[in-house]
Amino acid sequence: MKRPTLFKSAAILSAAILLAKISGFAREVVLAAFFGAGTVSDAFILAFSIPDILLVLVSASVAGGYIPMYYRVEEKVKFTRNIMTCLLIAGFVFSIVFTIFPGALVRLFAFRIEPETFETASFFLRYMVWTAVFMLLADVFGARLEIEGSFFANGMRSLWRNVVVIAGIILGAVTGFDIWIAVAPAAGTAIGTIVLAAACKRHGFTYKPYLDLRSPALQQLSVLAGPIFLSSAATQLNIIIARNFAATIGAGSVSHLYYAAKITFLFTLLMGTVFSVVLFPRMSKMAADGDTDTLKATLAQGVVYIFALMLPVSIGVFILAAPGVRILLYRGAFTAEDTLITAGALQMYAPILVAASITPLLLRAFHAMQNTKSPAAAGVISVAASVVFNFLFVSPMGVAGLALSGSISGIILVCLLFALLRKKIGSTGIKTYSDELAKIIFAAGAMGVVVYFAANALPLMYTTSSWYGLLLIFVPIAGGIFVYGGLLLALQSNIAHEVVRRVRRKGGG
């Protein structure tokens, strides 16, 4: 992909995701304000997250196999409709089964949950599982749009669900009827799917039922999907395992870990996942054409840009965790103690930001080459490491220990992926950027010092107004950006100068 196209596409997708995730944060703020960190919030988080965690794995499996195969099949429309019909059937079966037996899924995700929380979560999940029907269709609509180079509608799709869920939480809290909370996710997901279908229609694709279980392309996709599922499951399985450990600590612990993880993965989604989504269709075409050299160059460039974006963010999150959580969540039923516990977990998640942002790009490089077994093996090792570290850290550190375990296992995963990728294609070309990486590390370290002293000079933990807190926390953030960018320019960083050139070009300078 030409660099202007990459930057433009990444900017469009980042803007869409930012809007969607702002609505997601609004959802968390509303939940925390009305229900704090207790039985109802734990139950909602478990029930809301279970379909997401399971279906994100299916989504990754489908997209990871569908997009590379799209460039290899002749009847592309039939291929796409066949996949969608299979997923629609699977979504209905999944929803019907777990409408009848929701407790089975709740036990799987939190086997030592308290009885009251279990009952509430089971009630919520009975309705929330119906997101599966719409979400699985939306996954293919979204992948089809990515192939067309259209990213905005797909990046925005969670916005519709978040808006409806916020309304459901408020109605449930005000009226006392939890059914509003329970049905909102499926209703919002349905709206988002309709929006994606309309966007695909503008690009010339409409879904019509078509089923051919004997299709060679479908069978090949099924073979690819299993290992992709395993490799993509590492992060989600680590979340499941951590929540099970959190449920043993006490009421509210699941919520503390959840809020910290949501803040963490907002940054990885905005900064890191964007590049993997934008580059994946192009890398798939390069792999299909046998253009390995260009694929390697594209991958190396993507890794360096992600590193340049995420290293300063990781440092900033670690330093500003406590005031950040206070500003975002400290209100209503969310107490000062909840704030400190969540902030401690967020600090322990900070080290994973770089690794978790690079991992999707590495996984998709493997998937583009239809090599799915190597990343699956790395994912299994990562999950095993997570279990070990959870046992080691949960007793002495509590929720923060579970977050630290997630960071360590995430770093292990990205190291394994780099090693396996190098074995597969030889040198990745990242060494050619060694001078650039050194400049980034130096500038980010200096930025961290400035942010630390600026944050400690301000009364960030003593403000009673969220808006005043936002204004105050902007000071160290702005100072950090100024120092980081200024040092990169002074050190003649290619990335910094490229950004300046593009800004001047857009401004007509």
Side-chain angles (χ1 to χ4, degrees), residues 295-307:
L295 190 153
K296 289 162 64 173
T298 302
L299 176 65
Q301 181 189 17
V303 169
V304 174
Y305 273 88
I306 292 171
F307 187 79

Side-chain angles (χ1 to χ4, degrees), residues 13-48:
L13 182 57
S14 293
I17 291 174
L18 179 60
L19 291 173
K21 289 307 173 181
I22 287 173
S23 70
F25 262 115
R27 183 193 70 216
E28 310 305 345
V29 169
V30 170
L31 178 65
F34 279 101
F35 296 106
T39 298
V40 175
S41 66
D42 280 1
F44 173 84
I45 288 167
L46 283 170
F48 185 79

Side-chain angles (χ1 to χ4, degrees), residues 50 68 277 295 384 387 418 435 483 490:
I50 287 169
V277 171
L295 190 153
V387 174
F418 266 119
D435 288 344
V483 170

Side-chain angles (χ1 to χ4, degrees), residues 2 16 87 131 140 216 228 278 314 332 373 426 439 466 481 495:
K2 295 180 181 179
L87 290 174
T131 58
V140 183
I228 293 174
V278 171
S314 176
K373 293 181 180 179
K439 294 171 185 176
S466 296
I481 293 172
I495 290 177

